[in-house]
Structures are given as C-alpha cells and as structure tokens.
Amino acid sequence: MPKLPRNKLKSTLPCHIHGCPKTFTSQSGRTRHMHSRHPNLSGHHRAATSAVPLSPPSSPARNGSPLQDEPSLPDAREPSSTPPPAPPPSAQKIKHPYLTGDPCTEDGLPLPFGQHDPPPITNQNKNDWAPIEDDLQFCTADFLYRREEMSQSNIDVLLHLWGLSLMKNGAEYGPFDNYAHIFSTIDAIEQGDAPWQCLKVDMREEITAASPSWKKKVYEVWYRDPDTVLSNLLSNPDFRDEFDYQPYIEVSGDGKRRWSDVMSGNFAWRQSDRIYNEDKTTRGATYIPLILGADKTTVTVGTGDIEYYPLYLSIGNVHNGVRRAHRNAVIPIAFLAIPKGERKYDNDADFRHFKRQLYHSTISAIFTSIKPHMSTPVVRRCPDGHFRWVIYDFASFIADYPEQVLLAGIVQGWCPRCTAQPSNIDGSAGPRTNELVDSLDTSVIPFTRDFPRADIYKMITSDLLHQAIKGTFKDHLVTWVEQYLNATYEKSKANAIMDEIDCRLGAVPAFSGLRRFKQGRRFKQWTGDDSKALMKIYLCAIKGLVPPEIVQCIAAFLDFCYLVRRNDIDSDTLIEIQKALCRFHQHREFFQKSGVRSTGFSLPRQHSLVHYCDNIRDFGAPNGLCSSITESRHITAVKKPWRRSNRYEALGQMLLINQRLDKLAAAHSHFVARGMLTPERLKILPPVEKEVRREGEGSDDAVEVPDELVLADVQLAKTPDSVLPDATTAAHDLNIPGLPSMLETFLYGQLGITLDDSDDEDWEDNINILNSISPISSFCSAVATFFAPSDACGIHGMRREWLRCTPTWRKLGPRYDCAFLVADETKKGFRGLEAVRLKALLSFTYEGTEYPCAVVEWFKRVGRSADKETGMWIVEPDMSSGERDVTVVHLDSIFRAAHLLPVYGSACPLIPLDFDHSTSLDRFQAYYVNKYIDHHANEIAF
C-alpha cells in the first residue's frame, strides 16, 4: 500500500482560513494551497491565527532595555482622516494615521464627494497610438530595438525584405522605412521621457601652474532631472498592485511584528512622524522614501580600462519583489565622474579628499531640483491613476563596503555605521551621527547635509551580496578552511584533502538551476552567482575532512544568511538570527585558536552582520536593498548599451539607448493600462525589464517565472515521452517490474477500496481494474509552481522549477530528481514531509477521471532530529526485502523538488576522479536533505 494515506477523490476539504472558498480533494492539496495563498499562516513555518492586538507590539529588547526607535501609535485625539479598512482575521496592518496618501484632484484639491475612480490617463481615444501608428508598429519597434537589440544595418536588411514581400502581395509599405524611422518614432514617445543633461563640476580653487592635473580638470557628469524620473516612476501603472501609500506596522495573527517591504520598517514610520510634527499641513500626503545605489563597473573584460560610475534611483513604496525583478523600478539617474591621477597620487591624502568631496558635491547638485519637495508636498500621479500630494525623503543607499567608506567619509577598517575601533571592531560602540562628525571637524561634507532630515549614517543599509555571500563566506570562511588545512597538514596531505573536497563538489546530484562545480572550486574569476552556488553544497563536502568546530561555524553562518534573506521576517525570526550570529561568533574562535586568525576578527564586512537586526527593523527585509540589484542593473543600463555602441565616445550612445529603453517601457505600460495591447500581442511581447531568471548550465533548466498568482501546483509536461498500451508494457519499458501491482494498489487507494471490501458484490469487477484504464502516458519531466518570495521569482512571489525523470539527460546519463511529499500538515518542517526519488511520471484515465501519478523510491529518516553539526536531516533508502521500497503516489501529494547530498564520511580519498555525478543517488548509503538548496526549502522544511 502507498505510504501516504489517501482520501477519496470525491471528498472535499475546506481551506483552514475563514472566508477562503477553496476546497480540496486531499490533505496535500490543501497544504500546498496554504503555502501559496496563505504563506504567512502555513503550518510548516507560521503559528496559528489568533486575536489581533489593537496596538503594535514592541520588538525584542536589546541588552535588557526596550528599543528606542520603535514607532508608537498616534494620540487618540489625532485620528486619521481616512481610517484603514478592517483587517483580516489573520493579520493586521496598522497604517500611519497622518501621512495617509489620500487621493486628490490634479490641482491638489480633495476629491468630490462620492468620486472614487481615478481620472483617465489621457484624453486620447483608445485607437490613438500617437506618435506610433498602431500596435504592429509598436511591437516591431520594441522587438527589434529592445528584445533583439538588432544592429542598424540588419534592421535595414530585414525591413527591405519585409517591404519586398509586401509589394509582391500587393501591399504598399511595411511598418517602418528603415532604422532611422524606428529610432525617430521611439524618440517621439512622450511617456517615460527624461532627457539627459550635462553638469560641469569645477572644483578648481587657488589653481597654480604646479597644481596636479586632476585639480585643473572640469568634470562632466551626465544626469537626469530626479523630479522627472520620480514622476515617471510614480505614474507607472505596472506598480498598481505592488505599491504602499502609507508606512505601516504589520502584526501577525499571534501578535508578532513582521517586516517585509521598506514601508513596513521603523524608518518610514519615524520619518513620517517627523514630517507631520514639523508641518501639520502635510497631513494626508504620501511619504516617498528615496533609495539610491552606486557602484563602479568595468565593461571590458580583457583590459579593464573602461569604467563607468552609474548612480541609480528607486523608491521604497514599490515592493521588494518589484525592485529585485527590475520592471523599471530601478532607474539609472546619473553617470558620475571618475577622477584619474598619476601613480604618485595613488596614496595621496589630498587626492583622496578631492575625490570624496567631488562625489558628494555632485550628488548634492543632481538632487537640487527636488529639495523643495522634501519640505513642501507636490502633486503627482500615482500607479493607481489617482493624484496625491507627495513628499520626498532620502531613506537608503545601496552600496558595498568601499562605497560605504566613501559615503561615510571614513578610512578603510572602520565601520560606517558605528564608532567601533578597527583594532576591536566587534567591541562596544555608539552610532555615528551628524553631531559626532561635526565635533570631529571632518573636512568631507556628506551630500545629505544639504537636505532636510537626511543622515548618511542612517541611510547605509545591509548588503547581503558583498558583506555576507562574497565577503564573509567566500573571502573569509572558504579561504580559512584552506589555510587551516595548509597549516595543519603537510603540503601533500593538505592538497589531497582539498582535491577530495573538489571531487565531492563535483559529485553533487543535479538540481534545477544548480550550478555545477565540475572541477571543484579551482577557478580564479568568482562571481556572486558562483559564491551563492557554493554556499548550497559546501557544508557536506567538508564534513569529515575538517574538525566539527569548522563545520558548525559555517553551518551557523549559513543559517544566519538564509534567515536574513527571507522576504518576511517576524520577531521570532529576529531572535533566530541573533542566535545564529552568536553561534557563528562562538565557533569561529576555533580559527583563532588554530592560528589561522591569530590576530583576531577585526573585519568590517563580518562586523556588519551585527547591524542586520537593526537594519531589518528600520528598512524591512535586506533582500530588497541588496547590491545584487544594482549589480544586475549594470547589465541592462551599462554593459549591454556599451556593447551596442561603436566604442567611440560610447557614453553618449549609452545614454541615448537608456532613454529609448525607458520610453519603450513606459509606452508598454501606458498601452497595457489603456487596454490597447491585445492578449495576442502580449503573449509575443513580454513586459519590458521582466527578468527571466536563468541559472545553472543551460536554458533547459530555466523556467520563465510566472507573474500571475497561481496556486502551488505540480503539472506534468505538456507532451508525453511515450504512450504505453498497458501496465505490463509500461513495467517492461520503464524497467519497473512491480509496476502493475503498484498501479492497482494506487488506484484502489484513490477509490477508497480496501481489502475489507472483499465481501462487496462488486469486488470481482474491481479485481480487473487495470484492464479498464486507458493507455499509460509516460513523461520525462514535471514543473512545480509555488509561492517563494525569498527566492528568484516573479514580482508576485511565484517560482517554477523542473522535476526531471529521464533515463538520458544531455547524453551524460540518467537523471531522476528527488521531491518533497506532504505527509502530515500538522507537523512543522521536515517532520511533516517525506523525501522521495522520482522513478517515473505517469498519467492514465479511469472511468473518465485522469490520474497523474509518480513512481517513487522512499527514503526514511535517520534519527529523531537533524544532524548536530550540519543542521540537516539525514535520510537513507527505505529497503524492503533487500530492494529499495517503490510505490505509486498521486502527483497531488508532491510539493516541490528536494535535493539530497551524499553523506561522504571521513574517508580520503573517497571519490574517484572519473566519478559520474548522475549515479550519486545510487552509490551512497545515506544522504543529507539539503536545506540550503534555496531559501524556500530552508523555510518550509527546516
């Protein structure tokens, strides 16, 4: 019999959440629905709902005292002009009562009584595409210029052939005459127009003939008016459903504070209080927190001599998922100057000061146009079509450590947020403040000093990519492991152990989107994706080859990384983050005792981890303010435009390309909002700046992430690999001898027939039940779709991944993936799940009902808890009569893919150089259930 108790298909189970109309045919289907539509209430990682308090809870105390920066509810004598709607029974959002984002007319007057609909976007009729002629012309221009990035000469060739074809069929002309016609049409688009301007920065003071060359130059900075860019951002209808108009405090059903997007943090609430207290006339306005990001990037790989310094602008009102998926929510607003000097000035203090002051003075000059709107609100159209009074405020600056040093005006080795001494950077320290800087009489004036309420030291936020992933993990921990081996063993022995680690990394079973390390980690040019991939599989590769303290140290750090990477973080998660960090600090002492870090751990990037909890309270989940966002934006804003240029004075061409891309993006959103692009056009014309996540070694493992909200689901591929006439033939072709009896047992379970029914008068008809099923379709893959906002996903938090089940994969051998099965939705984490390996994916019909199912090998848990060193559960094949236990389960019981890592042990060498990773799941006696394969698996299974 199958191991999972099955319900009859005709039974209906209601959703746990009051008011949700969904019903299900199985417990597992209901569980997947809970994870998808009610993720914060799922039994695997959220507590049950309860009454909601009417006041926001305080966050956990630090050092025994309450937090000083927690927002407080307003006085009852100052009620909000528009009370928030009644909260759902599961959670409550307590919205800011004064800066409420009330709609108004275009002139800033209150809306007439009874008017709720926004004014039309334009007075043009639905068929007016001006300056474009029709949808065909727009789709052609968008396809050739944005999507295909076709060269001018190739565009002319294509249009010429197109014209010849039309003339042959009696038509007069095509959509465009030549490339110049396309470019001029795009340039005439008004939506998204934000022209580039040149700012000449002259820092020359008391220049003499002996002054260095870098003092004599007049630097050119190209920028766009931030007021225009912000107006375009705010009026983008793409953000309609992913935009917050008020700061809010989110409280879960069990009374726990929860942080997610920027507007859920204390900073937005605190600044809104400050704005209202300074000027009561701002009541009803919308708070717009500005997010900046800057980072140098090189466009030439070989020489590395062509650099650009883009400055990006976004707003905190759009949700984190939108910013991470781009969708034109992160805009290049300027290209900053990069002063160059002779080698003798490389360490010159005067030159360093000059570059810093040039940097800050430039940013200050760029944002001068919006400075009045930081004190006095201005009317702007918002994504929902309504007009509102808005007030701007600097909130966050996305930057890596060198950029943070530049922003804070400090020297390398210091913390940009606190005053900890470089010699003991983890020691006690206070926060950096403007008052402290004034008392030190620093010569560099931050750009924030020119704007109301702005404080650069509070704007510097956590950076997961450079501080945690590339910094602490790759640059520190992985390096320390190698240094430990070299210091502990003879060179030959140390090299043998490192070779074994590399072989273990190469023997990891395949997983959708997982980057393989065929030769281990022996390559010099590391990217952020390489570091992320190594984090997923590194722990089991070193287990048994290094002391347990090192394994526990890295496991604690990985737990910290995966906790802070979550899209929703509640007060309990903050406690878990702090515990993981304490464990990391405790276990890393081994590296000091062993001599690897004899000088201690005064490392600014590691020290930054102690500020994460404070940053989460202020700005929400760190994944919405990570430098990986700007790093990815470099590709579309700098690197691709540079490659499209002729390389001669490329910046001007790059600016024009960016401007045209923004216009196409805005026009696309404009036409969609007006209902002018038909569904047929939208199918072939994906949204501009939609990021299709492609990881791993080929596009076959990449699935375009859906933007629509769908239930968590597993579907077989659209086309079967083969159709088999009966169960006996299927057993032979699939090499599963017991398949007929398995299918019979499976179908009996689905129909609710048990052995006790043998006295039933219809029993004899049921004996030949397999003779009544349709031919069996066999599939090589299925795709799982589920809610995973912490991972690479669409803007609605939906993620897709392949489950492969094929005897030949890329001509290298078989690939039979593993999966999680929902066993008991009342139990938390992996205790409520089962790990199985897919052996076949099938579908057949019986009495008009289709039964998609999977033949699976079972694994059983080893022990009653996870492994103490790695924190991962260990499973081993479930054996029956000396063979692996195999049954058939309904596809509905599969939640998503799972990843198993071999338990290698301590033997060295163990893995031969020619080991085939496709056989890993057959060659070992036990396996770790990899909780680090992605953030969703980490949340729901552990």
Side-chain angles (χ1 to χ4, degrees):
M1 293 293 289
K3 294 203 170 190
L4 296 180
R6 306 299 304 170
N7 293 298
K8 296 182 181 180
L9 289 181
K10 294 182 180 180
S11 64
T12 56
L13 301 175
C15 176
H16 287 309
I17 305 304
H18 177 70
C20 182
K22 291 294 294 184
T23 57
F24 307 92
T25 59
S26 67
Q27 294 279 359
S28 54
R30 179 166 62 182
T31 299
R32 289 210 317 271
H33 166 78
M34 291 289 294
H35 281 292
S36 173
R37 283 299 178 90
H38 313 292
N40 295 326
L41 303 172
S42 173
H44 285 297
H45 56 98
R46 297 291 184 197
T49 59
S50 61
V52 180
L54 296 179
S55 59
S58 59
S59 294
R62 288 172 288 179
N63 299 325
S65 60
L67 294 172
Q68 300 297 320
D69 293 333
E70 281 295 306
S72 57
L73 281 177
D75 193 295
R77 292 169 294 181
E78 289 276 19
S80 172
S81 57
T82 54
S90 58
Q92 181 181 13
K93 281 188 177 181
I94 304 171
K95 297 184 177 181
H96 198 275
Y98 307 135
L99 268 63
T100 53
D102 299 334
C104 63
T105 66
E106 188 173 1
D107 298 325
L109 301 175
L111 288 180
F113 179 77
Q115 179 178 331
H116 303 290
D117 295 332
I121 297 177
T122 178
N123 294 325
Q124 296 173 292
N125 63 55
K126 190 173 181 179
N127 297 321
D128 189 353
W129 292 78
I132 299 170
E133 293 182 1
D134 53 28
D135 59 341
L136 176 61
Q137 195 178 65
F138 174 75
C139 291
T140 302
D142 185 82
F143 174 77
L144 295 177
Y145 193 83
R146 174 190 64 88
R147 190 171 176 184
E148 190 61 26
E149 300 179 356
M150 189 174 289
S151 66
Q152 298 175 7
S153 59
N154 287 345
I155 290 176
D156 281 347
V157 171
L158 178 63
L159 292 175
H160 176 69
L161 295 174
W162 194 338
L164 291 177
S165 175
L166 291 172
M167 291 176 61
K168 183 177 180 181
N169 295 316
E172 296 183 0
Y173 53 84
F176 293 101
D177 300 331
N178 49 39
Y179 79 85
H181 188 192
I182 294 179
F183 292 174
S184 61
T185 302
I186 296 174
D187 291 337
I189 296 175
E190 295 181 358
Q191 292 84 15
D193 188 24
W196 290 90
Q197 307 174 46
C198 183
L199 172 68
K200 295 185 181 294
V201 183
D202 187 353
M203 300 290 289
R204 295 177 294 179
E205 297 178 1
E206 300 179 2
I207 300 299
T208 64
S211 297
S213 59
W214 45 267
K215 273 192 176 182
K216 299 178 182 179
K217 290 182 180 178
V218 176
Y219 294 93
E220 290 187 353
V221 176
W222 287 90
Y223 75 102
R224 300 194 245 196
D225 178 24
D227 193 24
T228 303
V229 172
L230 288 168
S231 297
N232 293 338
L233 266 174
L234 288 170
S235 62
N236 190 340
D238 269 359
F239 307 148
R240 175 188 298 270
D241 300 322
E242 292 86 24
F243 196 94
D244 294 317
Y245 295 97
Q246 294 173 257
Y248 62 90
I249 296 172
E250 186 173 3
V251 185
S252 63
D254 52 357
K256 298 187 177 92
R257 175 82 183 272
R258 185 184 300 152
W259 295 265
S260 53
D261 300 308
V262 172
M263 296 292 275
S264 69
N266 295 347
F267 183 89
W269 186 290
R270 193 167 55 238
Q271 293 296 90
S272 297
D273 278 347
R274 186 173 175 183
I275 291 170
Y276 176 76
N277 291 331
E278 291 174 354
D279 184 0
K280 295 294 193 295
T281 63
T282 59
R283 183 169 187 157
T286 301
Y287 176 69
I288 308 294
L290 306 185
I291 298 171
L292 302 181
D295 185 28
K296 290 181 186 176
T297 184
T298 304
V299 294
T300 51
V301 178
T303 59
D305 61 343
I306 301 181
E307 290 182 304
Y308 293 99
Y309 208 156
L311 177 68
Y312 298 104
L313 174 65
S314 184
I315 54 178
N317 306 82
V318 296
H319 295 174
N320 289 346
V322 178
R323 196 177 304 109
R324 285 161 43 205
H326 296 167
R327 295 299 289 269
N328 239 41
V330 181
I331 304 295
I333 194 172
F335 281 79
L336 305 177
I338 305 178
K340 301 286 186 179
E342 294 83 1
R343 291 180 183 272
K344 61 182 178 181
Y345 295 111
D346 287 350
N347 296 315
D348 184 77
D350 193 22
F351 187 35
R352 287 199 301 268
H353 172 266
F354 173 83
K355 289 190 290 185
R356 289 181 175 182
Q357 196 57 66
L358 173 66
Y359 176 86
H360 284 279
S361 299
T362 299
I363 297 177
S364 177
I366 290 171
F367 286 94
T368 300
S369 66
I370 65 168
K371 184 176 180 180
H373 307 326
M374 292 183 170
S375 300
T376 304
V378 61
V379 176
R380 292 289 181 264
R381 186 188 287 271
C382 294
D384 61 358
H386 280 293
F387 289 92
R388 287 177 175 83
W389 290 98
V390 303
I391 188 164
Y392 300 128
D393 185 41
F394 283 122
S396 173
F397 204 114
I398 301 173
D400 58 11
Y401 180 68
E403 194 82 18
Q404 292 178 357
V405 168
L406 183 61
L407 287 165
I410 59 176
V411 296
Q412 295 279 345
W414 289 77
C415 174
R417 285 185 58 90
C418 70
T419 58
Q421 297 293 315
S423 58
N424 183 23
I425 201 167
D426 287 330
S428 59
R432 289 187 180 274
T433 62
N434 287 330
E435 293 73 20
L436 174 64
V437 174
D438 289 341
S439 66
L440 297 176
D441 192 23
T442 180
S443 55
V444 176
I445 302 174
F447 75 90
T448 51
R449 303 304 293 273
D450 298 330
F451 299 91
R453 300 180 305 278
D455 188 338
I456 191 59
Y457 309 108
K458 294 180 180 178
M459 288 177 61
I460 295 175
T461 52
S462 302
D463 178 20
L464 284 167
L465 178 62
H466 291 93
Q467 292 171 349
I469 299 171
K470 295 178 70 174
T472 303
F473 176 71
K474 195 268 290 184
D475 292 344
H476 297 162
L477 295 177
V478 174
T479 302
W480 293 353
V481 170
E482 186 171 345
Q483 292 174 349
Y484 169 80
L485 294 174
N486 287 324
T488 305
Y489 302 100
E490 296 181 354
K491 185 175 182 180
S492 59
K493 176 64 173 177
N495 288 338
I497 295 176
M498 286 187 284
D499 285 340
E500 174 64 16
I501 293 175
D502 289 337
C503 289
R504 292 182 177 187
L505 294 175
V508 167
F511 187 83
S512 180
L514 177 63
R515 180 168 305 196
R516 283 199 59 232
F517 293 83
K518 298 179 182 178
Q519 283 78 40
R521 50 182 172 67
R522 299 188 66 179
F523 51 93
K524 295 182 180 179
Q525 188 65 35
W526 281 75
T527 66
D529 287 338
D530 294 326
S531 299
K532 293 174 186 176
L534 185 62
M535 288 177 68
K536 299 177 180 181
I537 59 176
Y538 187 67
L539 202 59
C540 75
I542 64 171
K543 172 72 181 297
L545 301 178
V546 297
E549 292 85 353
I550 293 180
V551 177
Q552 291 172 318
C553 174
I554 297 178
F557 173 74
L558 293 179
D559 287 340
F560 173 88
C561 285
Y562 279 73
L563 286 168
V564 298
R565 182 62 171 74
R566 291 184 178 181
N567 197 60
D568 295 296
I569 300 174
D570 61 18
S571 52
D572 284 349
T573 309
L574 284 182
I575 296 174
E576 293 301 317
I577 290 171
Q578 203 62 44
K579 289 180 179 178
L581 186 60
C582 290
R583 293 200 311 273
F584 170 64
H585 286 162
Q586 174 188 350
H587 293 302
R588 75 173 179 178
E589 293 296 324
F590 178 83
F591 289 106
Q592 185 171 16
K593 295 176 182 177
S594 63
V596 174
R597 291 295 304 178
S598 57
T599 58
F601 304 97
S602 288
L603 302 165
R605 286 182 293 180
Q606 275 198 34
H607 165 73
S608 67
L609 305 183
V610 305
H611 296 299
Y612 269 59
C613 286
D614 287 339
N615 282 328
I616 290 169
R617 293 184 181 99
D618 277 345
F619 297 101
N623 64 12
L625 298 173
C626 178
S627 63
S628 59
I629 296 172
T630 53
E631 293 272 3
S632 298
R633 199 65 174 93
H634 286 338
I635 298 173
T636 54
V638 182
K639 296 186 178 182
K640 283 188 175 181
W642 184 82
R643 294 173 193 143
R644 296 175 67 173
S645 71
N646 62 12
R647 312 295 197 270
Y648 176 70
E649 295 184 352
L651 181 57
Q653 302 167 60
M654 294 162 59
L655 300 178
L656 184 58
I657 290 170
N658 271 288
Q659 184 168 317
R660 287 171 175 166
L661 291 174
D662 287 345
K663 287 190 173 188
L664 286 171
H668 181 278
S669 301
H670 181 78
F671 293 146
V672 170
R674 293 172 60 190
M676 298 170 66
L677 284 173
T678 62
E680 292 75 17
R681 296 291 191 220
L682 291 174
K683 285 181 181 178
I684 64 172
L685 191 70
V688 178
E689 290 294 336
K690 178 178 180 178
E691 184 178 15
V692 179
R693 306 286 181 157
R694 296 192 182 276
E695 300 178 357
E697 297 184 340
S699 59
D700 286 344
D701 261 352
V703 184
E704 186 170 318
V705 178
D707 278 341
E708 69 275 9
L709 281 170
V710 297
L711 297 179
D713 196 19
V714 178
Q715 294 288 337
L716 296 172
K718 293 182 180 179
T719 305
D721 180 59
S722 60
V723 179
L724 307 168
D726 51 50
T728 303
T729 306
H732 179 269
D733 288 4
L734 298 175
N735 194 25
I736 307 175
L739 183 60
S741 61
M742 295 179 200
L743 286 174
E744 191 175 40
T745 302
F746 164 74
L747 196 50
Y748 285 164
Q750 292 298 309
L751 297 174
I753 300 173
T754 66
L755 294 177
D756 295 335
D757 296 323
S758 57
D759 295 333
D760 195 295
E761 60 182 7
D762 296 329
W763 172 246
E764 292 186 1
D765 294 333
N766 291 325
I767 293 178
N768 299 321
I769 194 170
L770 290 185
N771 295 331
S772 303
I773 68 173
S774 68
I776 300 172
S777 297
S778 175
F779 299 83
C780 288
S781 64
V783 63
T785 307
F786 49 90
F787 183 79
S790 301
D791 287 284
C793 56
I795 60 176
H796 293 300
M798 302 306 298
R799 174 183 171 90
R800 283 179 181 164
E801 65 183 7
W802 285 111
L803 293 101
R804 304 287 183 182
C805 185
T806 175
T808 57
W809 175 248
R810 293 178 179 168
K811 301 180 182 179
L812 296 177
R815 176 170 170 182
Y816 297 103
D817 288 349
C818 298
F820 286 122
L821 263 64
V822 179
D824 188 347
E825 63 180 10
T826 64
K827 294 183 179 179
K828 184 178 180 180
F830 188 62
R831 298 179 188 276
L833 301 173
E834 296 281 358
V836 297
R837 187 185 183 191
L838 305 177
K839 298 301 292 183
L841 294 168
L842 308 174
S843 178
F844 62 88
T845 301
Y846 176 73
E847 293 186 349
T849 300
E850 183 180 5
Y851 292 87
C853 55
V855 183
V856 299
E857 289 181 351
W858 292 85
F859 292 87
K860 63 180 180 180
R861 298 178 188 84
V862 177
R864 297 184 177 181
S865 61
D867 178 58
K868 292 183 179 180
E869 290 185 32
T870 62
M872 293 186 281
W873 284 88
I874 298 177
V875 297
E876 62 184 13
D878 198 350
M879 308 297 288
S880 177
S881 301
E883 299 288 338
R884 292 196 175 191
D885 194 7
V886 181
T887 62
V888 177
V889 299
H890 198 285
L891 200 67
D892 183 53
S893 63
I894 296 177
F895 186 9
R896 52 151 297 169
H899 191 229
L900 301 188
L901 293 169
V903 177
Y904 296 107
S906 57
C908 179
L910 173 69
I911 308 296
L913 294 176
D914 59 349
F915 185 84
D916 184 359
H917 77 283
S918 65
T919 65
S920 290
L921 292 172
D922 300 307
R923 301 278 294 274
F924 295 89
Q925 296 180 353
Y927 300 87
Y928 294 108
V929 181
N930 188 0
K931 71 174 182 178
Y932 301 119
I933 190 60
D934 56 48
H935 297 276
H936 181 257
N938 190 272
E939 289 187 59
I940 62 103
F942 294 89

PDB file of all heavy atoms in Angstrom, residues 726-739:
ATOM      1  N   ASP A 726      -0.432  -0.714 -21.970  1.00  0.00           N
ATOM      2  CA  ASP A 726      -0.955  -1.287 -20.728  1.00  0.00           C
ATOM      3  C   ASP A 726       0.130  -1.277 -19.665  1.00  0.00           C
ATOM      4  O   ASP A 726       1.280  -0.919 -19.915  1.00  0.00           O
ATOM      5  CB  ASP A 726      -1.464  -2.711 -20.945  1.00  0.00           C
ATOM      6  CG  ASP A 726      -0.433  -3.588 -21.646  1.00  0.00           C
ATOM      7  OD1 ASP A 726       0.729  -3.612 -21.188  1.00  0.00           O
ATOM      8  OD2 ASP A 726      -0.784  -4.219 -22.661  1.00  0.00           O
ATOM      9  N   ALA A 727      -0.235  -1.695 -18.452  1.00  0.00           N
ATOM     10  CA  ALA A 727       0.679  -1.656 -17.316  1.00  0.00           C
ATOM     11  C   ALA A 727       1.845  -2.618 -17.492  1.00  0.00           C
ATOM     12  O   ALA A 727       2.976  -2.322 -17.080  1.00  0.00           O
ATOM     13  CB  ALA A 727      -0.073  -1.972 -16.028  1.00  0.00           C
ATOM     14  N   THR A 728       1.614  -3.769 -18.107  1.00  0.00           N
ATOM     15  CA  THR A 728       2.694  -4.742 -18.298  1.00  0.00           C
ATOM     16  C   THR A 728       3.757  -4.193 -19.230  1.00  0.00           C
ATOM     17  O   THR A 728       4.956  -4.308 -18.964  1.00  0.00           O
ATOM     18  CB  THR A 728       2.123  -6.053 -18.854  1.00  0.00           C
ATOM     19  OG1 THR A 728       1.110  -6.542 -17.967  1.00  0.00           O
ATOM     20  CG2 THR A 728       3.216  -7.093 -19.003  1.00  0.00           C
ATOM     21  N   THR A 729       3.333  -3.585 -20.328  1.00  0.00           N
ATOM     22  CA  THR A 729       4.295  -2.967 -21.254  1.00  0.00           C
ATOM     23  C   THR A 729       5.032  -1.825 -20.583  1.00  0.00           C
ATOM     24  O   THR A 729       6.247  -1.652 -20.764  1.00  0.00           O
ATOM     25  CB  THR A 729       3.566  -2.457 -22.504  1.00  0.00           C
ATOM     26  OG1 THR A 729       2.814  -3.516 -23.086  1.00  0.00           O
ATOM     27  CG2 THR A 729       4.545  -1.905 -23.513  1.00  0.00           C
ATOM     28  N   ALA A 730       4.309  -1.030 -19.797  1.00  0.00           N
ATOM     29  CA  ALA A 730       4.944   0.082 -19.088  1.00  0.00           C
ATOM     30  C   ALA A 730       5.996  -0.438 -18.114  1.00  0.00           C
ATOM     31  O   ALA A 730       7.089   0.139 -17.991  1.00  0.00           O
ATOM     32  CB  ALA A 730       3.899   0.907 -18.345  1.00  0.00           C
ATOM     33  N   ALA A 731       5.704  -1.529 -17.418  1.00  0.00           N
ATOM     34  CA  ALA A 731       6.673  -2.113 -16.479  1.00  0.00           C
ATOM     35  C   ALA A 731       7.937  -2.546 -17.201  1.00  0.00           C
ATOM     36  O   ALA A 731       9.055  -2.353 -16.701  1.00  0.00           O
ATOM     37  CB  ALA A 731       6.045  -3.281 -15.746  1.00  0.00           C
ATOM     38  N   HIS A 732       7.778  -3.106 -18.375  1.00  0.00           N
ATOM     39  CA  HIS A 732       8.943  -3.571 -19.144  1.00  0.00           C
ATOM     40  C   HIS A 732       9.738  -2.405 -19.685  1.00  0.00           C
ATOM     41  O   HIS A 732      10.973  -2.353 -19.555  1.00  0.00           O
ATOM     42  CB  HIS A 732       8.480  -4.482 -20.284  1.00  0.00           C
ATOM     43  CG  HIS A 732       9.605  -4.979 -21.139  1.00  0.00           C
ATOM     44  ND1 HIS A 732      10.033  -4.297 -22.278  1.00  0.00           N
ATOM     45  CD2 HIS A 732      10.416  -6.066 -21.013  1.00  0.00           C
ATOM     46  CE1 HIS A 732      11.040  -4.955 -22.814  1.00  0.00           C
ATOM     47  NE2 HIS A 732      11.297  -6.038 -22.078  1.00  0.00           N
ATOM     48  N   ASP A 733       9.083  -1.429 -20.302  1.00  0.00           N
ATOM     49  CA  ASP A 733       9.801  -0.302 -20.911  1.00  0.00           C
ATOM     50  C   ASP A 733      10.446   0.601 -19.877  1.00  0.00           C
ATOM     51  O   ASP A 733      11.511   1.177 -20.123  1.00  0.00           O
ATOM     52  CB  ASP A 733       8.844   0.518 -21.776  1.00  0.00           C
ATOM     53  CG  ASP A 733       8.455  -0.209 -23.059  1.00  0.00           C
ATOM     54  OD1 ASP A 733       8.880  -1.375 -23.217  1.00  0.00           O
ATOM     55  OD2 ASP A 733       7.738   0.381 -23.889  1.00  0.00           O
ATOM     56  N   LEU A 734       9.827   0.747 -18.725  1.00  0.00           N
ATOM     57  CA  LEU A 734      10.362   1.624 -17.684  1.00  0.00           C
ATOM     58  C   LEU A 734      11.275   0.884 -16.713  1.00  0.00           C
ATOM     59  O   LEU A 734      11.829   1.503 -15.794  1.00  0.00           O
ATOM     60  CB  LEU A 734       9.214   2.275 -16.910  1.00  0.00           C
ATOM     61  CG  LEU A 734       8.280   3.173 -17.723  1.00  0.00           C
ATOM     62  CD1 LEU A 734       7.122   3.643 -16.854  1.00  0.00           C
ATOM     63  CD2 LEU A 734       9.029   4.372 -18.302  1.00  0.00           C
ATOM     64  N   ASN A 735      11.405  -0.435 -16.879  1.00  0.00           N
ATOM     65  CA  ASN A 735      12.255  -1.260 -16.024  1.00  0.00           C
ATOM     66  C   ASN A 735      11.814  -1.180 -14.562  1.00  0.00           C
ATOM     67  O   ASN A 735      12.618  -1.031 -13.646  1.00  0.00           O
ATOM     68  CB  ASN A 735      13.728  -0.860 -16.164  1.00  0.00           C
ATOM     69  CG  ASN A 735      14.669  -1.889 -15.569  1.00  0.00           C
ATOM     70  OD1 ASN A 735      14.323  -3.076 -15.470  1.00  0.00           O
ATOM     71  ND2 ASN A 735      15.850  -1.457 -15.164  1.00  0.00           N
ATOM     72  N   ILE A 736      10.505  -1.261 -14.354  1.00  0.00           N
ATOM     73  CA  ILE A 736       9.926  -1.281 -13.014  1.00  0.00           C
ATOM     74  C   ILE A 736       9.060  -2.526 -12.933  1.00  0.00           C
ATOM     75  O   ILE A 736       7.851  -2.502 -13.235  1.00  0.00           O
ATOM     76  CB  ILE A 736       9.097  -0.013 -12.732  1.00  0.00           C
ATOM     77  CG1 ILE A 736       9.928   1.244 -13.003  1.00  0.00           C
ATOM     78  CG2 ILE A 736       8.576  -0.001 -11.301  1.00  0.00           C
ATOM     79  CD1 ILE A 736       9.156   2.538 -12.859  1.00  0.00           C
ATOM     80  N   PRO A 737       9.635  -3.677 -12.535  1.00  0.00           N
ATOM     81  CA  PRO A 737       8.913  -4.955 -12.628  1.00  0.00           C
ATOM     82  C   PRO A 737       7.580  -4.980 -11.899  1.00  0.00           C
ATOM     83  O   PRO A 737       6.607  -5.572 -12.375  1.00  0.00           O
ATOM     84  CB  PRO A 737       9.905  -5.956 -12.029  1.00  0.00           C
ATOM     85  CG  PRO A 737      11.246  -5.310 -12.184  1.00  0.00           C
ATOM     86  CD  PRO A 737      11.012  -3.850 -12.035  1.00  0.00           C
ATOM     87  N   GLY A 738       7.490  -4.390 -10.736  1.00  0.00           N
ATOM     88  CA  GLY A 738       6.257  -4.483  -9.951  1.00  0.00           C
ATOM     89  C   GLY A 738       5.247  -3.405 -10.259  1.00  0.00           C
ATOM     90  O   GLY A 738       4.327  -3.187  -9.469  1.00  0.00           O
ATOM     91  N   LEU A 739       5.381  -2.723 -11.397  1.00  0.00           N
ATOM     92  CA  LEU A 739       4.503  -1.589 -11.681  1.00  0.00           C
ATOM     93  C   LEU A 739       3.025  -1.954 -11.735  1.00  0.00           C
ATOM     94  O   LEU A 739       2.192  -1.201 -11.197  1.00  0.00           O
ATOM     95  CB  LEU A 739       4.939  -0.918 -12.986  1.00  0.00           C
ATOM     96  CG  LEU A 739       4.151   0.333 -13.389  1.00  0.00           C
ATOM     97  CD1 LEU A 739       4.275   1.407 -12.319  1.00  0.00           C
ATOM     98  CD2 LEU A 739       4.634   0.876 -14.735  1.00  0.00           C
TER      99      LEU A 739
END
